[in-house]
Structure formats: C-alpha cells, structure tokens
Amino acid sequence: EDQVTQSPEALRLQEGESSSLNCSYTVSGLRGLFWYRQDPGKGPEFLFTLYSAGEEKEKERLKATLTKKESFLHITAPKPEDSATYLCAVMYSGGGADGLTFGKGTHLIIQP
Amino acid sequence: DAGITQSPRHKVTETGTPVTLRCHQTENHRYMYWYRQDPGHGLRLIHYSYGVKDTDKGEVSDGYSVSRSKTEDFLLTLESATSSQTSVYFCAISAGPPGTEAFFGQGTRLTVV
C-alpha cells in the first residue's frame, strides 16, 4: 500500500479554470508535508511545507492546505506556465530514514 | 538550484562496471540525499547523510554505496551497474533538521546497457 497517494494522475484544464490536486497520506507522526513542482528534465522545485492540520500557505496562484489525512493544492485561474508535474512528499517519525516519501505526482496541463 | 551541482548530467555505462555520481553543494547544508526517479514509482530515497562521514540507508539502497568526506560533496557509487539501475538520479540538500524542506539538483540521467 502506498503511503502517499496523489490524485488525479493527470489533469488538463483550460487557462483560467481553477481546480485542486489531492495528496492523501497514511503515515502517522507527520513531521511535514511538502509540495514540489517539477518541469520536464529538471529537478523538483520546492513550493510549500505544511506542518499541522489547518495550516494554509499561498504563493501566487497556488494555495496549499492540510488536514489530518490529506493535503490539497488549489490552483486559481491557472496560466499555461503553471503546467508541470506537482509532487507531494511527507516526512514522518518512525519512517526508518530521515528522507522524504513521495507520491507519484499529478501531471497538470493548462491549455491556452 | 540552491547551489547544487550534479555531475555528470548524462552517462551511459555497461553492465558490471562501477559508476560514481557526484553531488556538490555551496550552501554548507548539513543534510544531503540521493534519490532515484523512475516512471510509476516516483522519487525514492537511496541513501542520505547527516554530516561528514555520517550516512545511512534509504528505501532502495541495495547495490549502492555513498561517501561524504567533506561537507560539500556527496558521492553515490554503483558498485557493479545493472540495467535495473537505469534511472534519473537526484541529489538534494537540506539545512535540517528532518522536517525542513529539501532542495534538489538538476539530476543525472544514467543508462546501463
């Protein structure tokens, strides 16, 4: 069973059409939930860290929220340059290693 | 890219040969990580380091070793490359402690033929 599940796997939107990406997790002892953006052929680019349920963070057209079992990345009025793969990752106690556990990502395409 | 340089950026090697990938940082961060990214699996942790000469295994460490003799350099060695190790390898750094965001390099695309 995957510890971090992202949905949908792929999403195609029209420019200006707002939507949300989901990241659900089954780990306990969450130390942090992270959102990254990855463009083709590049490394993941850090977006947000969330630490506790109820926390929200915003950056331009993106807003990340966290509950006890999932996080949402809300994209408001997206532009074509927002097209990328969005990755969610968690760090948790008892994971056996001090690294991030990633979901498989949501591939987002914004059409002009 | 938060002062992270991976080398080489691309490499093709033959099965059974040893390969070393290098990660160099200029941020003086304590934590360094090696991940691999494969279709259908996402990013998976291979090894990480929490200081000079202090390293530990991640989720997929079999067939890999690491060394960190200086704060700025973290080496990943494939002792005898296999086709299953064809992947894109990413180095990441973090100021720490665990729970602090990590910043990634541009990646090394390794093909084992």
Side-chain angles (χ1 to χ4, degrees), chain A residues 7-18:
Chain A
S7 61
E9 290 185 12
L11 181 62
R12 188 183 297 266
L13 301 172
Q14 292 295 124
E15 184 173 2
E17 180 185 0
S18 301

Side-chain angles (χ1 to χ4, degrees), chain B residues 62-73:
Chain B
D62 287 349
Y64 301 95
S65 62
V66 290
S67 66
R68 192 169 178 199
S69 58
K70 297 185 289 185
T71 298
E72 58 265 36
D73 289 325

Side-chain angles (χ1 to χ4, degrees), chain A residues 2-75:
Chain A
D2 287 345
Q3 296 170 309
V4 181
T5 303
Q6 292 189 245
S7 61
E9 290 185 12
L11 181 62
R12 188 183 297 266
L13 301 172
Q14 292 295 124
E15 184 173 2
E17 180 185 0
S18 301
S19 188
S20 297
L21 313 183
N22 178 261
C23 171
S24 63
Y25 57 94
T26 59
V27 303
S28 57
L30 184 73
R31 288 178 167 178
L33 185 139
F34 305 83
W35 282 99
Y36 287 85
R37 169 194 171 124
Q38 187 174 25
D39 294 303
K42 296 195 173 182
E45 175 189 344
F46 171 74
L47 294 173
F48 303 110
T49 308
L50 302 167
Y51 291 106
S52 57
E55 190 174 0
E56 300 182 351
K57 289 195 176 170
E58 288 188 66
K59 179 180 179 180
E60 296 180 356
R61 295 177 292 282
L62 300 176
K63 179 180 176 180
T65 62
L66 180 65
T67 71
K68 286 188 177 179
K69 287 298 178 188
E70 60 189 349
S71 176
F72 292 93
L73 185 65
H74 307 279
I75 303 177

Side-chain angles (χ1 to χ4, degrees), chain A residues 31-32 34 36 38 41-46 49 51 87 91 96-104, chain B residues 9 31 33 35 37 40-43 45 48 56-58 90 98-106:
Chain A
R31 288 178 167 178
F34 305 83
Y36 287 85
Q38 187 174 25
K42 296 195 173 182
E45 175 189 344
F46 171 74
T49 308
Y51 291 106
L87 303 173
M91 185 172 286
D98 287 335
L100 298 170
T101 299
F102 280 85
K104 295 175 183 175
Chain B
R9 293 293 315 279
Y31 287 80
Y33 307 85
Y35 290 86
Q37 186 172 38
H41 287 279
L43 281 149
L45 181 66
Y48 67 102
D56 209 342
K57 297 178 179 180
F90 288 100
T100 308
E101 57 267 21
F103 299 94
F104 285 78
Q106 290 282 56

